Amino acid sequence: MISLFEIAERTQTGEKVEEKKWDMELYRTISELVKKYRIEFPGEGCFINMDDELAERAFEAAIEFLEKMGVYCVTTRRRVRLSRDEILTAIHEAPTEILMGEGRDRRIWKQRKIEEKGKLNVCPGHHTPFTEDLAPLVVSNFAQIPRTDFIEGFNFSKVDGREIIGAPMEVYASRRQLGWMREGVRKAGRPGLAVVYYPINTRAEDLIGVMDPEHGLRRTDGILLTLLPDLKMEQDMLCAAMVYEEYGSFKLSGSFSIAGGFCGGIEGAIIEGIAKPIACMIVYRDYIHYTGVEHIHMLNGRQILVPGINWARSVVNQALNRFTHTICMRWVIPTSGVGTELNLLEGAMQAIEAPINGMNLYAPRHCRTTTNRGQTPLEAEWMIEVSDAVIEQRFDRHGANELLARLAKRFEGEKPAEGYDIRECYDLIHHKPMPDYEKVYISAKKQLTKMGLKLL
């Protein structure tokens, strides 16, 4: 596989390109490839891809796209070129499983196949803001979920009562985050559980300053290093990738594509959605990715469902699982707030997709989360329960598609629901939902059972 040192050199010697020119070139290239490879949404009612040939064409389109475009370094405004041979070699040499954690909390995180029947790997929470007074208690609650394989960190705007401003305070806050994470997993009786650093900032000093086998990020822990939308990388993240490659920590990325931007519609987003995790693997050595396609209207919490978005996600993940070693995760991000029935039903829709398309489960949270209102442990336990039921009841692509179509009708005419503060709907002392939220959960189970997924 091409070395990170070679990537670093290309960020300094590659062709100079203004960012606006890159954006327009990306849009034109994707538009041409959508036509060339005949990527087209089959129409209403299609939530899972049934066309294996389409997934193969989409994969070939993504390889051509990555070969033509390369990756854009926003730090130096240069193009990092990648040859077809370098791309395919990297795909071939990537691992299909990652070891993480220590002692009895050691876990193996694996690539899944389409419709595979084994239980999914799980990251149950965080990647959302919490105040420091709740931090260790919240971490402990998520670590108590038995299926937890790792937990990701969280962000916050104040530390020790002070605003986090500038590099020195960011480094301090980053180390505090890891301290709270380690304290939380110890409180849960799982001291060896892997934690993943969620960067306070993407400066190199913030990314590297948490390395500390005793009190911070261990060699058996991980860090989130991700490309920006539209195949854009940063030198500071590359710097961190090179250091962590030697240190030994695993790395993961946010590698979904966004429809409604320079990729165009869902068809164009499919191409970037396949290319992006491959690019992340090459330039940062990320091997675990939350993948797929999202729509800008859903990320903004304006619309519960956009036609074709589930299908587009399905194409991306089926292509990645068939033709690469990418370890995919489904990031469950409902548009409705926590503590609501719509939040659980939206989460269920995404948890149903995961085992069908070959995806593990990752950190359910509200799409437009605010402090202390992004997630509770119940949503994590819910997504596990739903995905397990899909596997145990042996749903295939056709059965899952029918179930998703019935569930989608539940959202017709609905707007995203407002949610609650975690302390209003979840008992963090006794690790259970508040009574009103328990009733909402039971109602959601009854509805899914009536639709054909037996949860009662």
Side-chain angles (χ1 to χ4, degrees):
M1 190 182 302
I2 183 174
S3 71
L4 292 180
F5 185 80
E6 177 65 28
I7 296 296
E9 187 173 54
R10 292 183 192 184
T11 64
Q12 298 294 141
T13 61
E15 168 197 2
K16 272 277 190 182
V17 182
E18 290 303 312
E19 191 166 3
K20 184 176 181 180
K21 182 181 177 183
W22 170 271
D23 293 338
M24 296 313 299
E25 182 183 348
L26 182 140
Y27 173 75
R28 287 193 301 270
T29 303
I30 282 187
S31 299
E32 291 167 1
L33 292 172
V34 166
K35 294 177 182 177
K36 177 179 177 180
Y37 287 92
R38 308 186 315 282
I39 301 173
E40 185 177 353
F41 178 43
E44 187 177 350
C46 189
F47 296 87
I48 300 289
N49 177 53
M50 309 292 178
D51 188 346
D52 291 341
E53 191 176 298
L54 170 64
E56 187 170 359
R57 293 200 307 274
F59 173 73
E60 289 299 330
I63 298 302
E64 184 172 337
F65 170 62
L66 193 52
E67 182 183 10
K68 285 184 173 180
M69 292 297 302
V71 180
Y72 185 70
C73 181
V74 295
T75 315
T76 60
R77 297 185 180 181
R78 291 183 184 274
R79 186 194 308 269
V80 176
R81 288 280 188 193
L82 300 168
S83 71
R84 184 179 182 87
D85 182 64
E86 287 170 337
I87 296 166
L88 296 178
T89 297
I91 289 172
H92 176 73
E93 293 182 354
T96 58
E97 60 183 44
I98 297 293
L99 291 173
M100 58 183 65
E102 298 177 347
R104 63 185 177 85
D105 296 309
R106 195 179 195 197
R107 296 290 185 270
I108 300 175
W109 193 284
K110 297 181 179 180
Q111 184 192 44
R112 295 184 57 82
K113 297 303 178 185
I114 301 162
E115 297 177 347
E116 184 178 328
K117 299 309 177 188
K119 290 185 177 180
L120 309 180
N121 285 115
V122 176
C123 167
H126 305 323
H127 195 109
T128 190
F130 287 103
T131 49
E132 59 183 310
D133 59 311
L134 292 183
L137 187 57
V138 168
V139 175
S140 176
N141 269 265
F142 281 98
Q144 288 177 55
I145 298 171
R147 288 277 293 281
T148 298
D149 293 310
F150 74 82
I151 298 180
E152 188 170 325
F154 47 89
N155 55 0
F156 42 97
S157 59
K158 292 183 178 180
V159 62
D160 296 350
R162 299 171 184 263
E163 295 282 345
I164 302 171
I165 303 172
M169 292 196 71
E170 288 168 3
V171 172
Y172 175 76
S174 298
R175 293 184 63 84
R176 289 287 284 161
Q177 179 196 138
L178 266 296
W180 290 325
M181 293 290 289
R182 296 287 294 275
E183 180 183 349
V185 297
R186 282 194 297 269
K187 284 172 69 72
R190 302 189 63 184
L193 183 68
V195 300
V196 168
Y197 171 51
Y198 181 48
I200 297 292
N201 192 291
T202 60
R203 291 190 184 97
E205 57 264 40
D206 296 332
L207 299 170
I208 295 170
V210 296
M211 294 171 63
D212 183 344
E214 296 299 321
H215 306 290
L217 206 69
R218 299 163 294 191
R219 289 175 170 84
T220 54
D221 293 326
I223 182 170
L224 177 70
L225 300 176
T226 188
L227 288 181
L228 297 168
D230 308 317
L231 292 185
K232 295 174 182 177
M233 66 178 293
E234 303 167 74
Q235 275 196 330
D236 278 6
M237 282 206 174
L238 175 58
C239 174
M242 296 175 77
V243 173
Y244 280 103
E245 188 73 2
E246 292 190 359
Y247 187 62
S249 297
F250 67 93
K251 297 177 286 295
L252 58 91
S253 78
S255 291
F256 62 80
S257 181
I258 302 174
F262 286 110
C263 290
I266 57 173
E267 292 86 358
I270 285 172
I271 295 176
E272 193 205 18
I274 298 169
K276 193 174 179 183
I278 297 170
C280 278
M281 180 259 293
I282 294 172
V283 304
Y284 292 154
R285 291 298 189 270
D286 294 317
Y287 296 125
I288 303 174
H289 313 256
Y290 46 95
T291 48
V293 174
E294 305 298 335
H295 196 283
I296 194 166
H297 291 335
M298 296 172 71
L299 293 176
N300 289 336
R302 294 171 54 189
Q303 191 172 340
I304 291 178
L305 276 182
V306 172
I309 203 72
N310 306 76
W311 166 82
R313 253 193 319 257
S314 181
V315 175
V316 167
N317 286 284
Q318 289 183 21
L320 288 170
N321 281 304
R322 285 180 59 199
F323 303 112
T324 79
H325 294 172
T326 304
I327 304 173
C328 301
M329 301 187 292
R330 175 69 196 118
W331 188 18
V332 177
I333 44 174
T335 63
S336 297
V338 300
T340 68
E341 186 174 275
L342 282 176
N343 174 280
L344 292 179
L345 292 175
E346 287 184 63
M349 191 166 206
Q350 298 173 39
I352 290 165
E353 292 177 17
I356 300 299
N357 293 319
M359 310 171 77
N360 291 299
L361 294 171
Y362 174 74
R365 49 148 272 200
H366 182 228
C367 68
R368 295 285 291 171
T369 185
T370 53
T371 302
N372 296 336
R373 300 174 69 92
Q375 59 190 201
T376 81
L378 180 62
E379 296 90 71
E381 292 169 331
W382 169 246
M383 74 176 182
I384 295 168
E385 182 179 6
V386 170
S387 68
D388 281 356
V390 170
I391 294 165
E392 290 164 5
Q393 294 166 41
R394 306 193 72 81
F395 275 80
D396 60 11
R397 283 187 277 183
H398 294 279
N401 194 79
E402 292 173 4
L403 177 59
L404 290 171
R406 289 191 287 272
L407 186 49
K409 289 185 180 297
R410 171 66 178 79
F411 303 127
E412 289 180 359
E414 296 276 12
K415 294 182 179 179
E418 290 290 329
Y420 300 91
D421 185 290
I422 188 172
R423 293 163 291 190
E424 297 175 307
C425 59
Y426 199 86
D427 183 345
L428 290 166
I429 301 300
H430 299 99
H431 185 64
K432 63 180 183 178
M434 296 293 194
D436 285 348
Y437 195 16
E438 178 76 19
K439 292 176 183 176
V440 167
Y441 162 68
I442 292 170
S443 174
K445 290 181 73 167
K446 288 179 178 177
Q447 291 182 60
L448 276 185
T449 297
K450 287 181 180 179
M451 292 177 194
L453 185 66
K454 298 175 184 178
L455 295 171
L456 293 171

